[in-house]
Amino acid sequence: MKGTDMQVAIVLYPGFTSLDVIGPYEVLGRLPDTEVVFVAEEPGLVVNDLKSLSINVVATFDDVAEPDVVLVGGGPGQVRQMSSERLLEWLRTVDRTSKWTTAVCTGTFLLAAAGLLEGRRATTHWGALDGLADFGVTPSKERVVIDGHYATGAGVSAGIDMALTLAGLIAGDDVAQAVQLIIEYAPEPPYSAGSVDSAPAAVVERAWKEMSA
Amino acid sequence: MKGTDMQVAIVLYPGFTSLDVIGPYEVLGRLPDTEVVFVAEEPGLVVNDLKSLSINVVATFDDVAEPDVVLVGGGPGQVRQMSSERLLEWLRTVDRTSKWTTAVCTGTFLLAAAGLLEGRRATTHWGALDGLADFGVTPSKERVVIDGHYATGAGVSAGIDMALTLAGLIAGDDVAQAVQLIIEYAPEPPYSAGSVDSAPAAVVERAWKEMSA
């Protein structure tokens, strides 16, 4: 299956959050001799949480047997995937040979549900963090957590930081820094409301409402 | 065509850079009563620069006549689009009624080629910045530039900062901050190599080589 030195498999499912996966994709897809394959339970169009983005997936779980890196993003659709034995079994299987098994945002819960993170530290979206403990995982408020060969990132945009960290571990600091420069990742958010600790209380309340709508 | 208060049209073309468009999409798609439509010259699958991502586009330029916000991303495919009279003419037309005409990365050159930025300040990817002057545009090293109803962002990941800035102007600071919190955009890059001024010289050289490969 692999025509390159490294294969990165990114899992998609209906109701995924696009930046969760595209942030890391843009980073990992630029590593030397690396092939990225989007993978889903069935081939065809996979529609995101906002319903306006459709990604065409060719590879199914059967087609991707030994990826070097596995990445699972989050999004509202993650809840339904928690009972997809097909996905969870695939995660357990590929994890046996993967160099890195990774998740962004609530994708962490899929690794947790597969039993892969038991006794480990991990992070996820701030709104869901406490729930990790239900799976025997120690929740961390860090933006990126590396524990063994597991890497997890906090909510949505944290996947970029997670992937750059991983890029450094996989390909070295020079390569990771060149990728950072190519994607001009020198962030200047116009507000400092990106974490629950820095956002004004009214903004946290509004975000909660939006997320539970 | 519009079922919502605000329509955002995001242009796709073969060889687009995915994060250029998905970053802003994740932000603008979360604004209240907003519909996002991906639009291309032809309906069907549009493949990105790295060749591993296919987005299915339903709407063509004919279907999107009066978007409130227009966004054009960059990527290697932008060069070919510079001579697409169909795209340039559509940009000129929708710009007449748009509230905001915007670009990320080398997408700025498409607005410039359409003649929309003449006499204005704009930004683009650091590797292409000087070239804006050829179109009568004043290049700015700022990450986000607002000039009239034009908003431009620097390379790739800068689209997130551009879109959050725009979100604040469109929907107010509270809404923009809530979106920032929902996507947990409190960046912590593991390196400070994201701009040509902060990156080590060897990293800049490596990035140039990668970009011209």
Side-chain angles (χ1 to χ4, degrees), chain A residues 128-139:
Chain A
L129 191 60
D130 293 345
L132 285 179
D134 299 343
F135 297 88
V137 184
T138 305

Side-chain angles (χ1 to χ4, degrees), chain A residues 79-97:
Chain A
V79 177
R80 181 146 186 221
Q81 296 300 313
M82 295 293 277
S83 55
S84 166
E85 198 45 50
R86 182 82 188 78
L87 168 62
L88 301 182
E89 188 51 38
W90 181 80
L91 288 172
R92 283 180 209 112
T93 304
V94 293
D95 180 59
R96 280 182 216 128
T97 50

Side-chain angles (χ1 to χ4, degrees), chain B residues 120-210:
Chain B
R120 297 197 178 265
R121 287 170 56 253
T123 190
T124 183
H125 191 283
W126 60 268
L129 190 60
D130 293 344
L132 284 179
D134 299 342
F135 297 88
V137 185
T138 305
S140 166
K141 286 187 78 170
E142 287 171 279
R143 192 158 172 86
V144 176
V145 173
I146 307 280
D147 187 347
H149 78 292
Y150 300 98
T152 50
V156 193
S157 62
I160 302 173
D161 295 322
M162 192 272 277
L164 277 172
T165 304
L166 211 57
L169 293 168
I170 291 170
D173 291 342
D174 284 3
V175 170
Q177 287 179 305
V179 172
Q180 184 184 359
L181 182 55
I182 289 170
I183 66 166
E184 203 164 348
Y185 185 50
E188 292 180 26
Y191 308 102
S192 54
S195 79
V196 75
D197 293 331
S198 66
V203 167
V204 176
E205 198 181 331
R206 182 186 286 270
W208 267 122
K209 271 189 200 153
E210 286 294 324

Side-chain angles (χ1 to χ4, degrees), chain B residues 9-96:
Chain B
I10 300 181
V11 176
L12 291 185
Y13 50 78
F16 71 96
T17 294
S18 58
L19 187 55
D20 283 25
V21 290
I22 298 300
Y25 168 67
E26 198 66 69
V27 172
L28 300 175
R30 293 179 182 282
L31 294 181
D33 300 317
T34 296
E35 168 195 79
V36 180
V37 57
F38 288 93
V39 58
E41 198 163 339
E42 304 287 340
L45 296 178
V46 186
V47 179
N48 76 331
D49 51 357
L50 304 178
K51 311 283 189 202
S52 36
L53 178 73
S54 294
I55 296 181
N56 189 49
V57 176
V58 176
T60 68
F61 295 139
D62 288 334
D63 299 321
V64 183
E66 292 194 5
D68 300 284
V69 178
V70 184
L71 187 139
V72 191
Q78 160 263 323
V79 178
R80 182 146 184 220
Q81 296 301 312
M82 295 292 277
S83 53
S84 165
E85 197 46 48
R86 182 84 188 79
L87 168 62
L88 301 182
E89 188 51 40
W90 181 80
L91 288 172
R92 283 180 209 113
T93 304
V94 293
D95 180 59
R96 279 182 217 129

Side-chain angles (χ1 to χ4, degrees), chain A residues 4-5 55 74 84 121 125 133 162 168 178 180 195 206:
Chain A
T4 52
D5 294 345
I55 295 181
S84 166
R121 288 169 55 252
H125 192 282
M162 192 271 276
Q180 184 184 358
S195 81
R206 181 186 286 268

Side-chain angles (χ1 to χ4, degrees), chain A residues 97-156:
Chain A
T97 50
S98 73
K99 290 190 187 74
W100 292 100
T101 297
T102 75
V104 177
C105 197
T106 54
T108 300
F109 282 87
L110 292 167
L111 300 187
L116 301 177
L117 299 178
E118 218 175 313
R120 298 198 178 264
R121 288 169 55 252
T123 189
T124 183
H125 192 282
W126 60 268
L129 191 60
D130 293 345
L132 285 179
D134 299 343
F135 297 88
V137 184
T138 305
S140 166
K141 286 188 77 170
E142 286 171 279
R143 190 156 173 88
V144 176
V145 173
I146 307 280
D147 188 347
H149 78 292
Y150 300 98
T152 51
V156 193

